Amino acid sequence: MKVAVVGATGMVGHVMLQVLAERNFPITELIPVASARSVGKTVTYKDKEYTISSMEDAIAARPDIAIFSAGGGTSLEFAPKFAEVGTTVVDNSSAWRMDPDKKLIVPEINASELEDSDKIIANPNCSTIQMVLALAPLHKKYKIKRLVISTYQSITGTGVKAVQQLENEYKGEQGDMAYAYPIHRNAIPACDVFTENGYTKEEMKLVNETQKILGDNTIAVTATAVRIPVVGGHSEAINVQFENDFDLAEVRQLLQAQDGVTVQDNPDTNTYPMPIYAEGKNDVFVGRIRRDFSQENTLNMWVVADNLRKGAATNAVQIAEYLAAKELV
Ligand code: 2RA
């Protein structure tokens, strides 16, 4: 299969190449794509160097699939151009996620919605993916009424500049700032920019994308997204009220049975998920599962995942795997 990776030199693009190689995706021709200033440089895939192509050359090559992680503006401009030549685009930006004519896919939940007519497919936001994967089996069984979420997000969600800022601050050095404030020994209650309602774009993604993926806009959602000096992954404290009561043992069984979820939950042995151990893994890790005694039908849990993997690259590659397996490309 001829595959283009658009944004191949970025943090997520690099992980996409890693995941494609790890999962031995059936690539017959790889076309790494990046900005004009990177054309001619190389990236490594399966220990082999590949020369970066321009967007125009990649479109002309008519790849079967183009996996994008190059920002919303680039996707809005170029995803349709790939689609016009018959390429199926899996896009990791926010550009198409809330477009009513585009599918927003977490394969374990709703890949069955995909059809061969879907030429631009949206990969959800990282903090949404890990949450809805843990919630999906519970929603199906007990029907979610309301979600209250607090996120503790890795600086890798912002990009290389943020990682460099933290490293500089560790060393007591001054460099380019990805954030308006120090991140070392700090917590910044603002991931992305504020919207007119006082919530940040990141928080509104959790609201809007969750309803779309679970197919239920009656689900009430509120969120606070916080940036913390961590690199391994995003963590989320989720308080979920259901329409119906639940049995805690059954909740655990449902989570353990969910593809892509690993339950790590035993207070007796201090067992719970942590980003330092989730880093580099593709699963979503769930722990601190307990009833919220302050409100009926309500559960607390702690969800952790590598935001560059299941939160971005791995989910996108899994969509591509589904498309290939179902011969939708
Ligand atoms: C973040 N989810 O963590 C956003 C974009 N990757 O900043």
Side-chain angles (χ1 to χ4, degrees), residues 125-127 153-154 156-158 191-192 202 205 227 234 307:
N125 190 42
C126 41
S127 49
Q153 299 189 210
S154 165
T156 57
T158 308
C191 295
D192 209 330
E202 189 76 3
K205 289 172 186 175
R227 191 73 65 189
H234 291 348
N307 56 297

Side-chain angles (χ1 to χ4, degrees), residues 96-103 212:
W96 307 100
R97 290 174 183 157
M98 299 316 294
D99 181 321
D101 298 325
K102 301 294 184 292
K103 305 247 172 90
K212 182 169 179 178

Side-chain angles (χ1 to χ4, degrees), residues 130-168:
Q130 65 185 72
M131 181 177 74
V132 293
L133 187 54
L135 288 174
L138 307 182
H139 178 57
K140 190 173 178 182
K141 181 73 178 178
Y142 307 114
K143 193 175 181 331
I144 296 171
K145 180 177 182 181
R146 183 172 185 247
L147 289 169
V148 182
I149 310 136
S150 296
T151 74
Y152 307 78
Q153 299 189 210
S154 165
I155 57 169
T156 57
T158 308
V160 174
K161 193 175 171 184
V163 176
Q164 193 56 62
Q165 177 183 334
L166 181 58
E167 286 171 0
N168 289 338

